[in-house]
Amino acid sequence: MNEVYHFLIALVVILAAAKIFGEIAVRFGQSGIVGELLAGVIIGPGVLGLVSETPILTNISELGAIILLFEVGLSTDIKEFARAGGWATAVAFVGVMLPYFFGYFTFMYFGLSSTQSIFAGAVLTATSVGITARVFRDLKKLESEEAKIVLGAAVIDDVIGLAILAVVLKLVSGGTVTAGSIAQIAGTAVLFLALAIGAGLLIAPSIFKLVSKMKQENIVFVAGFAFCLLIAALSSKFGLAPIVGAFAAGLVLSSTKQGEEVKNGIKPLSAFFVPIFFVLMGTNVELGTFNPFVAGNGTILILTAVLFAVAFIGKTAAGFVVFKKGINKLLVGVSMVPRGEVGLIFAGIGLRNNVFGSNEYSALVAVIMLTTFVTPFILKYLMTKESQKKEIK
Amino acid sequence: MNEVYHFLIALVVILAAAKIFGEIAVRFGQSGIVGELLAGVIIGPGVLGLVSETPILTNISELGAIILLFEVGLSTDIKEFARAGGWATAVAFVGVMLPYFFGYFTFMYFGLSSTQSIFAGAVLTATSVGITARVFRDLKKLESEEAKIVLGAAVIDDVIGLAILAVVLKLVSGGTVTAGSIAQIAGTAVLFLALAIGAGLLIAPSIFKLVSKMKQENIVFVAGFAFCLLIAALSSKFGLAPIVGAFAAGLVLSSTKQGEEVKNGIKPLSAFFVPIFFVLMGTNVELGTFNPFVAGNGTILILTAVLFAVAFIGKTAAGFVVFKKGINKLLVGVSMVPRGEVGLIFAGIGLRNNVFGSNEYSALVAVIMLTTFVTPFILKYLMTKESQKKEIK
């Protein structure tokens, strides 16, 4: 009975901390994610020591990550890929490549191993669609051409990021780094995604038409979620991260008639599971890492600062590939800066597979938090300036 | 990664089997619970061997039981206790006492230990509100006086059943069976319930008024669920089953303005978690127990048959305490026969605490399934006969 008590109390503490700090973050115009990560830092072993990871909490937070990427997939219009057009694709590719290599070389420069550097690069690749979209929506710019490019690019760089993760994960689990092996793994990842999405798009509509005739409550939602878990399981069977499959499943379902119903059902599940994921991510951050008065921490602080700078510059520079007239290139670039769930999941996988120690992990999480923290202010400034310019004209 | 694969695939198999067998049961006019239990029997170690219990699945199914009783509490109008009136209370008490002692003496007669007999009696006490209500609704009799007595009594016997569970659980964990100890434990249980509900009713409205001003999505639902987990944790701290606290939390929230919102949010969670609970209950049933050609099984089959008979007669007899004119006493009694979630949870706790071996557990689950299986047919027959009688008059 005592075991059940500790499990339940841990859930209560995690949820309460997540929602309180999340609320504070939201009130200060920040993303709730920042608050939830902070909540984890504070209730974690480093500060209050109220909660530490247990196998069961790890499994629940894994479900949280799967649900999160499933939701991202469900919110992605598959036709957007096509509509996103050339500019979005170009921004996505450059916006993945630059931070990847910047991150890689920064880590190498600071004397970290090549595996760590490869993984660190991957953490910096994916833009968080959510934060970007919220700022555009807040400032009523969701219909602008810049927004369309940015949102398209953010979706595409998620997919590229997931493919990179597949490669990185295989390398970590004891592969050799040759051009051939990279090509093979990337090939598997792309093939799996293509097959899962292709077969899914063919089969899912008729399966879910059948399911929607069933008489049990919430049956469409449960079937959709089971479908997500199945594809996630298969993707882990193929050596890819489960979140890759979860994203593919969401993408497939978003194009069915029942997609909306699944999306509504997954929301309460997500409200329960996802904060547990972010809080546990936070509990692994060691605040002591950033204490400048501890000997040896100087290097980590500088590493964090440099990493943040290259993470910012890499994405911002990507905006300048759009050499089309009338587009605010700087706005496009800065909009791509916020990293979020995908980067955190990557960092977490790195920590769990002992690629990162707690220092490197803490630095990467801090960089992700800084990108989501700083960007909204800059974006608001840029958009207000632009509106004023247009008014003067 | 392989571990994640097995965890995810187990979830998929459980959900798919639950919903397919649940659908078949519903189509045959049965409760979905019967289908889900059968699904567990079939995919469990005894037949197909696709799924067996792991610590993580056990924890998830525990959450399922908590969510289930939280929902029962949320659906209970606390004022119904008062409105239920004397007849409902009388039916509830007699309907708890008779099956309790019938079950106890049956187990004793078959040579089982006194602890086992005490526990077996407890398993048979609680009527399943859901199944009873569904039959009344199907036959458009929810407004009849019989229905009101039955639904009131079903709620009251849940509460009595939970108090009995508290006593039984303490006895199992090494207490001595004296009148004094029973009174003490029952006192604790009643005191905890009274305090939790009393304090909850005082504090919850203002807390949830505050929560409803928060800006995060689904915040009211998450806060409500966290409240449920907290009271469940506290009740396990006091040596009561977590479901007792979950029920109390639901009861408290049902009287707040935010109760409806919490109820809507919990539904998708319940659609995911609760089938896992019922399926796992089913996987522990050993079908071989009921094979009449295996030596020694004769006794178990007879035990099951006798137990079913007394379970049926005990509740039916309770209907006859309503010596009010114009009430169909037989209908009231038979309506109380279906057992369900609470009985199953009790049986599962008995199995987990090594009170029951798989034989006794299987017999009890079979009895619960039989009560929900047989009753709808008899009820429909009784109600149709009554309508015809009234038409003749």
Side-chain angles (χ1 to χ4, degrees):
Chain A
M1 277 294 124
N2 222 10
E3 207 187 299
V4 175
Y5 172 74
H6 288 297
F7 170 55
L8 296 176
I9 279 292
L11 289 181
V12 173
V13 171
I14 290 173
L15 288 177
K19 295 299 165 182
I20 292 169
F21 283 86
E23 187 69 21
I24 295 171
V26 168
R27 296 276 168 149
F28 279 93
Q30 290 295 323
S31 152
I33 294 174
V34 173
E36 292 175 4
L37 285 169
L38 267 180
V41 174
I42 289 166
I43 66 171
V47 184
L48 295 180
L50 293 176
V51 170
S52 57
E53 229 175 311
T54 63
I56 293 145
L57 288 178
T58 307
N59 270 277
I60 289 185
S61 91
E62 251 156 19
L63 279 181
I66 288 172
I67 290 171
L68 188 58
L69 266 284
F70 184 48
E71 266 195 302
V72 173
L74 276 170
S75 311
T76 305
D77 189 347
I78 205 164
K79 289 168 203 144
E80 223 166 74
F81 277 109
R83 246 187 282 139
W87 293 126
T89 314
V91 171
F93 264 92
V94 177
V96 163
M97 290 308 149
L98 290 183
Y100 183 85
F101 286 109
F102 285 176
Y104 173 82
F105 286 116
T106 305
F107 255 54
M108 287 301 269
Y109 181 81
F110 278 80
L112 293 155
S113 80
S114 69
T115 313
Q116 290 178 315
S117 308
I118 289 172
F119 223 111
V123 170
L124 301 183
T125 53
T127 293
S128 172
V129 199
I131 293 162
T132 308
R134 203 182 304 174
V135 176
F136 274 101
R137 197 181 53 198
D138 285 357
L139 297 171
K140 303 205 170 72
K141 297 267 183 187
L142 257 184
E143 295 304 311
S144 70
E145 203 161 352
E146 283 90 351
K148 276 176 194 159
I149 292 175
V150 168
L151 294 179
V155 171
I156 296 169
D157 82 3
D158 269 355
V159 178
I160 306 175
L162 290 173
I164 291 178
L165 177 69
V167 176
V168 165
L169 211 56
K170 265 282 165 62
L171 295 180
V172 170
S173 60
T176 43
V177 192
T178 66
S181 66
I182 292 179
Q184 198 199 330
I185 301 159
T188 314
V190 172
L191 199 69
F192 176 83
L193 270 177
L195 271 178
I197 296 175
L201 285 176
L202 275 177
I203 305 167
S206 29
I207 289 180
F208 279 87
K209 208 178 150 189
L210 249 172
V211 166
S212 65
K213 284 180 187 155
M214 287 169 81
K215 291 188 168 182
Q216 295 164 89
E217 226 182 329
N218 274 308
I219 182 74
V220 168
F221 150 68
V222 173
F225 187 43
F227 177 71
C228 157
L229 294 173
L230 176 67
I231 310 293
L234 288 180
S235 80
S236 89
K237 188 84 182 170
F238 281 87
L240 308 177
I243 52 165
V244 177
F247 176 77
L251 213 58
V252 166
L253 288 185
S254 76
S255 72
T256 63
K257 276 183 193 162
Q258 289 78 23
E260 202 56 33
E261 205 174 331
V262 176
K263 206 167 145 187
N264 288 334
I266 206 79
K267 271 180 195 165
L269 242 80
S270 155
F272 168 64
F273 278 102
V274 175
I276 296 173
F277 165 72
F278 284 122
V279 170
L280 283 190
M281 289 283 111
T283 61
N284 290 320
V285 171
E286 257 191 64
L287 215 55
T289 308
F290 305 111
N291 182 348
F293 301 107
V294 172
N297 276 2
T299 326
I300 299 155
L301 281 170
I302 299 172
L303 170 65
T304 308
V306 175
L307 217 51
F308 170 64
V310 300
F312 196 99
I313 295 168
K315 287 283 182 189
T316 305
F320 288 87
V321 273
V322 191
F323 40 87
K324 190 180 170 188
K325 237 189 157 180
I327 294 283
N328 188 335
K329 301 175 185 67
L330 186 61
L331 182 62
V332 170
V334 174
S335 302
M336 301 289 294
V337 168
R339 315 302 205 279
E341 48 282 7
V342 177
L344 285 168
I345 293 173
F346 286 19
I349 293 175
L351 182 71
R352 226 159 265 163
N353 286 283
N354 298 316
V355 175
F356 297 133
S358 96
N359 280 348
E360 297 85 37
Y361 173 80
S362 301
L364 286 166
V365 174
V367 169
I368 293 173
M369 286 174 75
L370 283 172
T371 58
T372 72
F373 190 79
V374 165
T375 313
F377 296 106
I378 305 179
L379 279 181
K380 279 173 199 166
Y381 171 77
L382 287 176
M383 289 188 199
T384 330
K385 217 179 73 178
E386 207 196 38
S387 303
Q388 286 166 345
K389 246 201 279 178
K390 279 189 182 154
E391 270 169 32
I392 292 168
K393 279 179 187 171
Chain B
M1 278 293 123
N2 222 12
E3 206 187 300
V4 175
Y5 171 74
H6 288 297
F7 170 54
L8 296 176
I9 279 293
L11 289 180
V12 173
V13 171
I14 290 172
L15 289 177
K19 294 300 165 181
I20 291 170
F21 283 88
E23 186 69 21
I24 295 172
V26 169
R27 295 277 168 150
F28 279 93
Q30 290 295 324
S31 151
I33 294 174
V34 173
E36 292 174 4
L37 285 170
L38 267 179
V41 175
I42 289 166
I43 65 172
V47 184
L48 295 179
L50 293 175
V51 171
S52 57
E53 230 174 311
T54 64
I56 293 143
L57 289 179
T58 305
N59 271 276
I60 289 185
S61 90
E62 250 156 21
L63 280 180
I66 288 172
I67 290 171
L68 188 58
L69 266 284
F70 184 47
E71 267 195 301
V72 173
L74 277 169
S75 311
T76 305
D77 189 346
I78 206 164
K79 289 169 205 144
E80 223 165 74
F81 278 110
R83 244 188 283 140
W87 294 126
T89 314
V91 171
F93 265 92
V94 177
V96 163
M97 289 309 149
L98 290 183
Y100 183 84
F101 286 107
F102 285 176
Y104 173 81
F105 286 116
T106 305
F107 255 54
M108 287 301 269
Y109 181 80
F110 277 81
L112 293 155
S113 79
S114 70
T115 314
Q116 290 178 316
S117 308
I118 289 172
F119 222 110
V123 170
L124 301 184
T125 53
T127 294
S128 172
V129 200
I131 293 161
T132 308
R134 201 182 305 174
V135 175
F136 275 101
R137 195 180 55 199
D138 285 356
L139 297 172
K140 303 203 170 72
K141 298 267 182 187
L142 258 186
E143 295 304 312
S144 70
E145 202 162 351
E146 282 90 350
K148 276 176 196 159
I149 292 175
V150 168
L151 294 180
V155 170
I156 296 168
D157 82 3
D158 268 355
V159 178
I160 306 175
L162 290 173
I164 291 178
L165 178 68
V167 176
V168 166
L169 210 56
K170 265 282 165 62
L171 296 182
V172 170
S173 61
T176 42
V177 193
T178 66
S181 66
I182 290 180
Q184 198 199 330
I185 301 160
T188 315
V190 172
L191 199 69
F192 176 82
L193 270 176
L195 272 178
I197 296 175
L201 285 177
L202 275 177
I203 306 166
S206 31
I207 290 181
F208 279 86
K209 207 179 151 188
L210 249 173
V211 166
S212 66
K213 282 179 189 156
M214 289 169 80
K215 291 189 169 181
Q216 296 164 89
E217 226 182 327
N218 274 308
I219 182 74
V220 169
F221 150 68
V222 173
F225 187 43
F227 177 70
C228 158
L229 294 173
L230 175 67
I231 310 294
L234 287 180
S235 80
S236 88
K237 189 84 180 170
F238 281 87
L240 308 178
I243 52 165
V244 177
F247 176 76
L251 214 57
V252 166
L253 287 184
S254 76
S255 71
T256 63
K257 273 184 194 162
Q258 289 78 22
E260 202 57 32
E261 205 175 331
V262 176
K263 205 167 144 187
N264 288 333
I266 206 77
K267 272 180 192 164
L269 242 80
S270 155
F272 168 64
F273 278 102
V274 176
I276 296 173
F277 165 72
F278 284 122
V279 170
L280 282 190
M281 288 283 112
T283 61
N284 290 319
V285 172
E286 257 191 64
L287 216 53
T289 307
F290 305 110
N291 182 348
F293 301 109
V294 172
N297 276 3
T299 325
I300 299 154
L301 281 170
I302 299 172
L303 170 66
T304 308
V306 175
L307 217 51
F308 171 64
V310 300
F312 196 98
I313 295 167
K315 287 285 182 189
T316 305
F320 287 87
V321 272
V322 191
F323 42 87
K324 190 180 168 189
K325 237 189 156 181
I327 294 282
N328 189 335
K329 301 173 183 70
L330 186 62
L331 182 63
V332 170
V334 174
S335 302
M336 300 290 293
V337 168
R339 314 302 205 281
E341 48 281 7
V342 177
L344 286 168
I345 293 172
F346 286 18
I349 293 174
L351 182 71
R352 226 161 265 162
N353 286 284
N354 298 315
V355 175
F356 298 133
S358 96
N359 280 349
E360 296 84 39
Y361 173 80
S362 301
L364 286 166
V365 174
V367 168
I368 293 173
M369 287 175 75
L370 282 171
T371 58
T372 71
F373 190 79
V374 164
T375 313
F377 296 106
I378 305 180
L379 279 182
K380 279 174 198 166
Y381 171 77
L382 287 176
M383 290 189 200
T384 329
K385 217 178 75 178
E386 206 195 39
S387 303
Q388 285 166 347
K389 246 201 275 177
K390 278 188 184 156
E391 271 169 33
I392 292 168
K393 280 181 191 171

